Amino acid sequence: MDTLFKNVQQQKQVPLSEKVAKQISDLIKERNIGTGDKLPNEFELAESLNVGRGTIREAVKLLVARNCLEIRRGKGTYVTEELGRVDDPLGFEYVSDKARLAEDLYEIRMQMEPWIAGLAARQIREEEKEELQRRCDAVEEQILAGVDHYEADNAFHKYIAECTHNSVLPEIIPIITYSVQLFTRYKDPALLKSTRQTHRAIADAICAHKSAEAEHYMQEHILGNLQNIEHLRETLNAADKG
Amino acid sequence: MDTLFKNVQQQKQVPLSEKVAKQISDLIKERNIGTGDKLPNEFELAESLNVGRGTIREAVKLLVARNCLEIRRGKGTYVTEELGRVDDPLGFEYVSDKARLAEDLYEIRMQMEPWIAGLAARQIREEEKEELQRRCDAVEEQILAGVDHYEADNAFHKYIAECTHNSVLPEIIPIITYSVQLFTRYKDPALLKSTRQTHRAIADAICAHKSAEAEHYMQEHILGNLQNIEHLRETLNAADKG
């Protein structure tokens, strides 16, 4: 009885479009519609889920907002490559104390990333080594060109996580490296130089399957950034007052 | 010139409702509208952002889908407590090989959670100890009552992360403990008994500020679960064939 009552209540609270969004997302799984594939059209969906086309349209909008579907104008609705992964999953954009956020993220990176680098050194495959060095090159080129290397930096750290062959780590990296973008704006020449050097040392150690070295250089790299946090805090405080 | 061209292109691709959603979310930050607070009504929003009410409605729907806003019928639109955090941020629901996912998550938990327990033992405040024990009791009660202890288990592990006073760790815990729900369905009496014992040992060690012990018992706890992974894989394989 209790459960029944709960179910009725829950059904009352969930809007129809939300329920249909769930049904569409189940359908994607059942029919094995993969990332990048086209979804059946509105008409077919309305028919197979037995709801109006307006409801389908609302449900599709929900799934677009959640990064599960994308509408390509004139072509139809497609399953995204990201399939439900969102850009800022923990809502960091809304955190007001960005300096504290950066400190907390660095505390986590300090624990996670040396371990990830060591794991990558043990697990990297022969055919991945060239790509790792290429991503290391990309960061270096952007630093030398004096442009913001945030995305290239993220791509480098993310690829190291991919070399671990743990399917979740590459998804966690963008979350914990969020703080990097708070730093790449400062063009402290000393930090930029040490970033280039330690990145290369990390890539070389991973490619040589030297896990202790990979771990050590990653530690050195993150510590270098950590030591700039005080500087960041001062700059942010100054910006708040300005 | 290059940047200008890029901006125009980007503006073309982003629908109006998406741009307005961004503006509303900026407005929330600027005006310091907190979680649980009411948003200005459609009319005011349309006026201050200089767009039609239909567009506001679309943008609000986007933000509802992203868990930033919630509509309370007859009351208005409110900022959610979660402020943009989503339930399944990495889209685990769509991963087909759940056994591999569980293994990958346990590899990460094995690295993260003992460290978190040790950190909690160093950072816990006097007034948090009672709550930690209470959450430990809650899991125990549910296990003894024979009901699914998934949520209580998550709440226990999450609270340990809160005791570290790192603002990000409590948000990462639900991601890496996702795999727990794959286990709590099996009522293996030996595993349930060891869960009760190690949970208590962890809580006691944290409250006594014994970080090495907290770390050790967390390791033991996660290892106990890991050893059940083989069993899980067999069960899932059997279910696939069934």
Side-chain angles (χ1 to χ4, degrees), chain A residues 5 22 25 35 99 128 141 172 201 204 209 233 238:
Chain A
F5 180 66
K22 176 83 180 65
S25 119
T35 60
E128 290 167 332
E141 279 158 23
I172 287 184
D204 288 347
H209 302 285
R233 194 183 266 287

Side-chain angles (χ1 to χ4, degrees), chain A residues 132-198:
Chain A
L132 181 63
Q133 293 289 359
R134 206 166 20 232
R135 300 218 185 181
C136 190
D137 296 343
V139 180
E140 191 162 272
E141 279 158 23
Q142 301 214 329
I143 289 176
L144 291 173
V147 298
D148 192 318
H149 60 284
Y150 171 56
E151 279 184 30
D153 197 292
N154 262 0
F156 175 66
H157 284 276
K158 190 174 174 179
Y159 196 71
I160 293 174
E162 276 170 29
C163 296
T164 66
H165 298 279
N166 177 308
S167 62
V168 179
L169 287 174
E171 309 305 328
I172 287 184
I173 284 295
I175 299 176
I176 63 175
T177 56
Y178 176 91
S179 53
V180 173
Q181 61 176 302
L182 301 169
F183 288 97
T184 50
R185 289 185 214 137
Y186 305 106
K187 309 293 177 199
D188 177 355
L191 183 62
L192 292 177
K193 194 180 167 198
S194 84
T195 294
R196 282 169 46 208
Q197 287 170 341
T198 52

Side-chain angles (χ1 to χ4, degrees), chain A residues 28-88:
Chain A
I28 290 171
K29 279 180 280 184
E30 276 161 30
R31 294 204 193 162
N32 257 323
I33 305 176
T35 60
D37 288 350
K38 194 176 171 175
L39 202 70
N41 66 36
E42 244 170 61
F43 188 76
E44 285 177 64
L45 285 176
E47 194 136 274
S48 49
L49 299 178
N50 202 24
V51 291
R53 288 175 62 184
T55 306
I56 294 290
R57 223 168 291 142
E58 287 296 306
V60 165
K61 275 185 196 164
L62 279 176
L63 291 168
V64 168
R66 287 180 191 143
N67 219 8
C68 292
L69 296 177
E70 61 179 330
I71 296 166
R72 297 189 197 152
R73 199 157 293 183
K75 289 186 173 173
T77 304
Y78 289 77
V79 178
T80 61
E81 298 292 335
E82 299 79 19
L83 204 56
R85 291 194 296 270
V86 293
D87 283 344
D88 179 23

Side-chain angles (χ1 to χ4, degrees), chain B residues 129-140:
Chain B
K129 294 179 180 176
E130 208 181 302
E131 179 63 21
L132 182 63
Q133 293 289 358
R134 205 167 19 232
R135 300 219 184 180
C136 189
D137 295 343
V139 180
E140 191 161 272

Side-chain angles (χ1 to χ4, degrees), chain A residues 29 93 104 107 112 167, chain B residues 29 93 104 107 112 166-167:
Chain A
K29 279 180 280 184
E93 205 195 320
D104 289 346
E107 185 173 45
M112 293 282 287
S167 62
Chain B
K29 279 181 279 183
E93 205 196 321
D104 289 347
E107 185 174 44
M112 292 282 287
N166 177 309
S167 61

